[in-house]
Amino acid sequence: GAEILVRFPMVPNVNALPEHFKGIGELAKSLPNVKGFEIMPYHRLGESKLDRLGLGASPIKTEPPENEEFNGWIDTLAGYGVKVINERK
């Protein structure tokens, strides 16, 4: 009876791929009572922390998504029947 929200990071050129979207769609179908799915788009806010901890540069070499790309992710997931709770940018 608990309300569950599935949150997942989405990184351009890493997991923002057709097979990943399809997998999220399959997961959504298997969890009919989930409140919704929330995309957590990649950002660079933690990069300075890596340096302070002596872990070097981020292994992810990509840019945060543009609004158009982010909105496309919402559309793609909605096409698989995923209830995305993010608002369009």
Side-chain angles (χ1 to χ4, degrees):
E3 289 188 1
I4 298 173
L5 174 64
V6 178
R7 300 176 77 206
F8 55 94
M10 190 63 68
V11 183
N13 304 315
V14 175
N15 68 341
L17 306 169
E19 59 269 19
H20 191 75
F21 291 117
K22 182 179 178 186
I24 293 169
E26 291 170 0
L27 176 65
K29 288 178 187 173
S30 73
L31 303 170
N33 297 324
V34 167
K35 180 180 176 181
F37 287 71
E38 181 180 10
I39 302 169
M40 298 175 359
Y42 172 74
H43 57 75
R44 291 189 164 150
L45 297 176
E47 287 185 0
S48 63
K49 186 176 186 179
L50 291 173
D51 192 43
R52 288 192 315 268
L53 294 172
L55 299 174
S58 172
I60 297 173
K61 304 297 181 205
T62 191
E63 297 294 321
E66 297 288 335
N67 291 347
E68 184 176 306
E69 182 177 18
F70 179 80
N71 293 335
W73 296 345
I74 292 173
D75 294 340
T76 299
L77 290 169
Y80 283 111
V82 177
K83 182 181 175 184
V84 179
I85 65 165
N86 295 83
E87 293 187 20
R88 299 174 71 76
K89 295 183 177 187

